Amino acid sequence: AQKVTQAQTEISVVEKEDVTLDCVYETRDTTYYLFWYKQPPSGELVFLIRRNSFDEQNEISGRYSWNFQKSTSSFNFTITASQVVDSAVYFCALLTNNAGNMLTFGGGTRLMVKP
Amino acid sequence: SQTIHQWPATLVQPVGSPLSLECTVEGTSNPNLYWYRQAAGRGLQLLFYSVGIGQISSEVPQNLSASRPQDRQFILSSKKLLLSDSGFYLCAVQWQSSYNSPLHFGNGTRLTVT
């Protein structure tokens, strides 16, 4: 069975602070894919990144970075120098080789960035 | 360009009334299509997915149904809505039909059943 845990339900930071959103996953499959999505107040989910289980390189995209650690089954997301526009709910998700088309989402972390 | 059209954006329906939500996509052929629901909290629940015309897989038994009458059209329906059907309904598409390609979501329909 697949499971994704986002232990932080809400995080509040002040603009320009760095913030890390945690994601821990569980699977017995050796081939799997991890995703992050952003859901701003408008509601639509925006795809941010996909990482496969064989690529442990960390990724940086502007102020966003992702730290994939297979040893701890974690795929954490860091926003550097946060901005008010980063306020949203962020979802981590897992897709495994044997799960067909079923993406397993975590419960989400609501990030509030205050000016 | 690849776009997802989902409508209506909001809907208020009485208990027992029928429902029809439509999702159409442009810019691709034979995409994988999905319906998700997000209830009052934040969790996302997969309702249906389709890998082709007339092919529907249901993940959760309920009073909802889905149909795919055309390659780029996915419809979510109900004959009689329940209060528990209230939520935010999201259509999603995989632009590439491989199972591991990212899902891209429409703007959603916020349904309130009264």
Side-chain angles (χ1 to χ4, degrees):
Chain A
Q2 284 70 238
K3 186 178 179 183
V4 177
T5 302
Q6 294 180 255
Q8 306 148 308
T9 53
E10 285 193 9
I11 300 176
S12 182
V13 299
V14 176
E15 209 171 17
K16 297 185 184 176
E17 285 184 4
D18 298 347
V19 58
T20 296
L21 310 181
D22 298 332
C23 173
V24 174
Y25 61 93
E26 294 176 30
T27 179
R28 293 182 179 178
D29 291 324
T30 55
T31 301
Y32 53 88
Y33 301 83
L34 295 161
F35 301 80
W36 275 95
Y37 284 87
K38 174 183 179 180
Q39 187 176 36
S42 52
E44 79 280 13
L45 270 85
V46 179
F47 165 69
L48 296 177
I49 190 172
R50 178 186 68 177
R51 175 64 79 210
N52 74 56
S53 54
F54 299 108
D55 182 1
E56 287 195 71
Q57 262 193 325
N58 291 330
E59 175 123 359
I60 298 174
S61 176
R63 296 184 297 107
Y64 294 173
S65 62
W66 291 269
N67 185 342
F68 178 28
Q69 298 274 350
K70 281 181 84 169
S71 60
T72 55
S73 297
S74 64
F75 186 43
N76 297 338
F77 173 29
T78 297
I79 301 175
T80 303
S82 59
Q83 299 176 3
V84 173
V85 293
D86 296 327
S87 297
V89 180
Y90 290 86
F91 290 94
C92 180
L94 169 68
L95 180 68
T96 68
N97 207 26
N98 294 318
N101 294 66
M102 192 161 183
L103 194 60
T104 300
F105 281 89
T109 297
R110 182 179 300 279
L111 174 64
M112 292 173 286
V113 181
K114 299 179 181 177
Chain B
S1 63
Q2 296 170 327
T3 55
I4 306 169
H5 299 282
Q6 192 179 340
W7 68 91
T10 59
L11 192 59
V12 180
Q13 293 281 107
V15 169
S17 64
L19 172 74
S20 181
L21 302 180
E22 188 162 341
C23 173
T24 59
V25 301
E26 295 178 5
T28 189
S29 295
N30 198 32
N32 293 337
L33 297 171
Y34 300 77
W35 279 110
Y36 277 83
R37 177 170 62 196
Q38 190 174 30
R42 292 183 298 253
L44 285 150
Q45 180 185 40
L46 176 63
L47 301 176
F48 302 94
Y49 70 90
S50 170
V51 297
I53 295 175
Q55 300 178 62
I56 309 293
S57 296
S58 173
E59 292 298 325
V60 181
Q62 58 214 323
N63 69 320
L64 298 173
S65 61
S67 62
R68 185 169 176 176
Q70 300 180 45
D71 182 44
R72 286 168 283 185
Q73 184 184 32
F74 203 23
I75 298 172
L76 182 69
S77 304
S78 174
K79 291 182 179 177
K80 287 186 177 182
L81 283 168
L82 307 173
L83 284 174
S84 57
D85 291 324
S86 292
F88 189 50
Y89 289 81
L90 288 153
C91 175
V93 58
Q94 284 174 307
W95 297 118
Q96 299 166 331
S97 58
S98 59
Y99 82 98
N100 59 17
S101 65
L103 266 64
H104 294 270
F105 289 81
N107 291 335
T109 296
R110 198 164 300 280
L111 171 67
T112 304
V113 182
T114 59

